[in-house]
Amino acid sequence: MQDKLRILEDLNMLYIRQIALSLQGTDIQKKIDHEIRMREGACKLLAACTQRQQALEVAKSLLVCNGRILAYMAELQRMKEAQVMQRVARRPSEAGPAGGRLPCRGRVCVSDLRIPLMWKDTEYFKHKGDLHRCAVFCLLQLGAEIYDTEMVLVDRTLTDICFESPVLFSEAGPDFELKVELYSAGLEEDSALGSTPKKLASRLSSSLGRSSGRRARAALEGGGPGSPISNGGSSPWLLPAPSVPGPKFQLLACTTLHLAHVQDTFRTHDLVVADNEDGSFWLPLYGSVCCRLAAQPNCMVHQGMCGFLKVQGEQQSWARLFCLLRGPHLLCYWHPKEAEAQAEPALTIAVNKETRIRAVEKGPKDRLPSMSVTNRCGGQEVTHTLLAETRAETQRWMEAFGQHFFDMSQWRHCCDQLMRVERPSPRRPAALLAKQGSLYHEMALCGSVGPPSNCEGLLLQDNAVSAEIRALLSSYYSDR
């Protein structure tokens, strides 16, 4: 069975590589190659791990790699479809809305992610029952972009699962679907026993007696149910689970956020929680997730058009100004250097959803058309007249205004005011999980190898494997 699973994995990877090679020279092909190499390395490291923290981190990275490969495959499919559509001559009746315009992209940021827990009174206040621990993390996907949060150790002493680091998506459209998935792996005593080193197994066999010791050592070293934590792979990804032992992360809860959920404040959203309460990965979730979801369309931060215009205000006098269309304003400066220095503009004209702009043809044929910009201020209409230097410039300005209004209509309330988007800090390999508090985990069998401070309970250090895992994870985080 294991050989069949390995063959299936190899065939899947070969198929994915062949599809990626059909679009050589694209960035997506390089990303797929990178994730496939990361996946192969993670599978090898997962089989060599002797420490629970190492195995958890590698299993987490493996799950993220699978998700990214499938996301890139979906992106490849969309690129293939776009290539086919370009070869087919489209009829005028098939043209999209607004003359085939596409809305601008934008950045979407999730920060202050918190998931409340609902422990029983006897568990939280009276500390009764078994001490149930899980390692959890969140996987966030928007299109082909997939990011993971840090891993958190959860037990009944916590009331919320908190992920402090913000997650930023830089290529979102107004129709985005942001999937938030919470994964959990149970940290049970038998799971830790599965990765106990052979040195400990030998000590246990000699201290328990000849017959009992043989049975204990066989249970610790064998491949039965007491062997290292299985990676059965109930993950939603379509790639087969790697045929190596390791921690098993299960999907605990999920939700999907859209543009309507964006608000520049801390909000609560509903979670779809798994019903499997008997699993070791299960946690008593309250059924909601709290976070700040902010969006920053490119039309709010990038200039849409710039150039010199003659501007006529309420005083009916003309002034030649350098104008810059950005966000909900047309910023007018005396000189381009003032715009580069982000100085105070000489005039600011509102360009928002309520603004009306139209081209005005008047006078003889050699007269250039002007542009009328009308806003309502204090119950009265205020009109500014703009005059470009050439007819072609006027056309370009009208196209820029049309695209700007289309972008604002698609991004809706995100264009009312500029939202603050946080930049994520550089990712670092996670610190070791806290000691588990039981007598088993607090035992130290260091012998004469080194001082007690160099040991981590029964999870003995394997310096060669630890260095390789640190190098893999360091490369993994630095490439993100």
Side-chain angles (χ1 to χ4, degrees):
M1 185 63 183
Q2 298 295 333
D3 293 337
K4 291 181 180 179
L5 285 175
R6 290 192 184 95
I7 292 172
L8 182 59
E9 289 178 43
D10 293 340
L11 288 176
N12 274 347
M13 293 300 103
L14 179 62
Y15 173 70
I16 291 173
R17 276 197 171 104
Q18 290 300 321
I19 294 180
L21 287 174
S22 66
L23 289 172
Q24 282 194 9
T26 61
D27 186 52
I28 200 78
Q29 185 235 339
K30 297 178 182 177
K31 291 180 178 178
I32 289 179
D33 282 344
H34 171 74
E35 294 301 330
I36 290 177
R37 289 196 301 270
M38 291 294 299
R39 187 180 190 273
E40 293 170 350
C43 290
K44 294 176 182 178
L45 291 173
L46 195 58
C49 286
T50 58
Q51 297 189 31
R52 176 161 53 193
Q53 171 65 16
Q54 292 174 339
L56 287 169
E57 285 292 339
V58 176
K60 172 173 171 277
S61 300
L62 183 59
L63 193 148
V64 176
C65 287
N66 288 344
R68 285 190 175 139
I69 291 173
L70 291 174
Y72 295 151
M73 288 292 294
E75 185 68 18
L76 277 176
Q77 182 66 25
R78 285 191 290 269
M79 293 170 66
K80 286 281 190 182
E81 292 175 358
Q83 287 181 351
V84 173
M85 293 301 294
Q86 287 176 0
R87 298 192 190 104
V88 179
R90 301 183 61 181
R91 297 190 299 268
S93 59
E94 295 176 341
R101 281 198 180 103
L102 295 176
C104 69
R105 313 299 285 179
R107 298 192 296 173
V108 173
C109 179
V110 181
S111 58
D112 300 324
L113 193 61
R114 297 173 184 269
I115 301 175
L117 297 168
M118 189 172 58
W119 298 102
K120 297 178 182 178
D121 292 345
T122 54
E123 293 176 323
Y124 183 71
F125 294 104
K126 299 179 182 180
H127 298 288
K128 292 184 178 180
D130 296 334
L131 186 58
H132 182 59
R133 287 185 173 90
C134 290
V136 301
F137 72 96
C138 270
L139 201 64
L140 299 96
Q141 177 179 1
L142 194 156
E145 293 185 270
I146 295 183
Y147 297 108
D148 59 313
T149 65
E150 66 273 15
M151 191 160 51
V152 177
L153 178 64
V154 178
D155 57 21
R156 65 190 178 197
T157 62
L158 298 180
T159 57
D160 298 274
I161 306 173
C162 301
F163 303 102
E164 302 295 341
S165 300
V167 178
L168 180 63
F169 299 91
S170 57
E171 288 296 328
D175 57 345
F176 71 85
E177 290 187 356
L178 174 56
K179 298 177 183 178
V180 181
E181 297 176 334
L182 180 67
Y183 286 89
S184 173
L187 305 181
E188 305 298 340
E189 299 292 338
D190 57 346
S191 300
L193 278 170
S195 57
T196 305
K198 293 183 178 180
K199 181 178 179 182
L200 174 64
S202 300
R203 294 194 180 190
L204 288 176
S205 64
S206 61
S207 61
L208 293 175
R210 186 171 299 175
S211 59
S212 300
R214 277 198 301 266
R215 288 195 298 270
R217 182 166 184 167
L220 290 173
E221 296 180 354
S227 60
I229 323 167
S230 67
N231 196 10
S234 62
S235 163
W237 310 119
L238 301 179
L239 292 176
S243 53
V244 291
K248 181 167 64 174
F249 279 100
Q250 303 269 11
L251 180 63
L252 185 58
C254 63
T255 188
T256 303
L257 304 178
H258 303 87
L259 185 67
H261 298 107
V262 173
Q263 190 172 346
D264 202 8
T265 55
F266 196 70
R267 286 188 60 185
T268 301
H269 311 280
D270 293 333
L271 269 180
V272 179
V273 184
D275 294 330
N276 189 4
E277 298 186 14
D278 298 329
S280 61
F281 68 94
W282 190 82
L283 288 170
L285 302 181
Y286 193 76
S288 60
V289 55
C290 308
C291 66
R292 176 181 174 270
L293 180 63
Q296 197 177 83
N298 289 342
C299 63
M300 294 291 289
V301 292
H302 299 160
Q303 68 180 33
M305 180 72 178
C306 66
F308 281 99
L309 292 172
K310 288 183 179 180
V311 182
Q312 185 185 47
E314 296 177 346
Q315 284 76 24
Q316 302 299 316
S317 59
W318 292 89
R320 187 174 184 269
L321 299 172
F322 181 78
C323 300
L324 181 68
L325 179 61
R326 184 172 59 205
H329 300 105
L330 181 67
L331 307 175
C332 305
Y333 300 89
W334 293 109
H335 197 275
K337 290 183 179 179
E338 296 178 357
E340 294 176 3
Q342 297 184 352
E344 188 71 21
L347 177 66
T348 301
I349 303 174
V351 182
N352 51 44
K353 301 170 189 175
E354 308 299 327
T355 304
R356 299 196 313 271
I357 298 181
R358 61 191 179 93
V360 180
E361 290 276 0
K362 59 181 180 179
K365 292 184 178 181
D366 56 347
R367 263 309 273 283
L368 294 175
S370 60
M371 295 169 285
S372 173
V373 183
T374 303
N375 288 285
R376 195 163 191 86
C377 183
Q380 295 182 349
E381 289 189 349
V382 178
T383 301
H384 293 83
T385 304
L386 311 177
L387 186 62
E389 296 180 344
T390 63
R391 189 174 292 270
E393 277 290 301
T394 303
Q395 183 66 27
R396 282 195 290 269
W397 273 102
M398 290 303 296
E399 285 291 332
F401 283 129
Q403 180 65 45
H404 195 67
F405 285 127
F406 179 70
D407 292 338
M408 289 191 294
S409 68
Q410 298 300 301
W411 283 97
R412 294 183 291 184
H413 60 285
C414 300
C415 294
D416 293 341
Q417 60 181 3
L418 186 63
M419 297 186 185
R420 176 177 54 88
V421 167
E422 300 181 32
R423 287 187 173 275
S425 56
R427 292 290 298 270
R428 299 177 181 176
L432 292 176
L433 291 175
K435 292 184 179 180
Q436 303 305 305
S438 66
L439 177 61
Y440 171 81
H441 293 93
E442 291 176 359
M443 290 172 61
L445 302 177
C446 302
S448 59
V449 176
S453 60
N454 291 335
C455 295
E456 174 130 19
L458 295 182
L459 305 180
L460 302 181
Q461 294 284 353
D462 184 339
N463 294 330
V465 176
S466 299
E468 190 173 358
I469 291 178
R470 282 195 298 270
L472 171 71
L473 296 178
S474 176
S475 171
Y476 173 71
Y477 290 126
S478 63
D479 289 342
R480 294 183 48 182

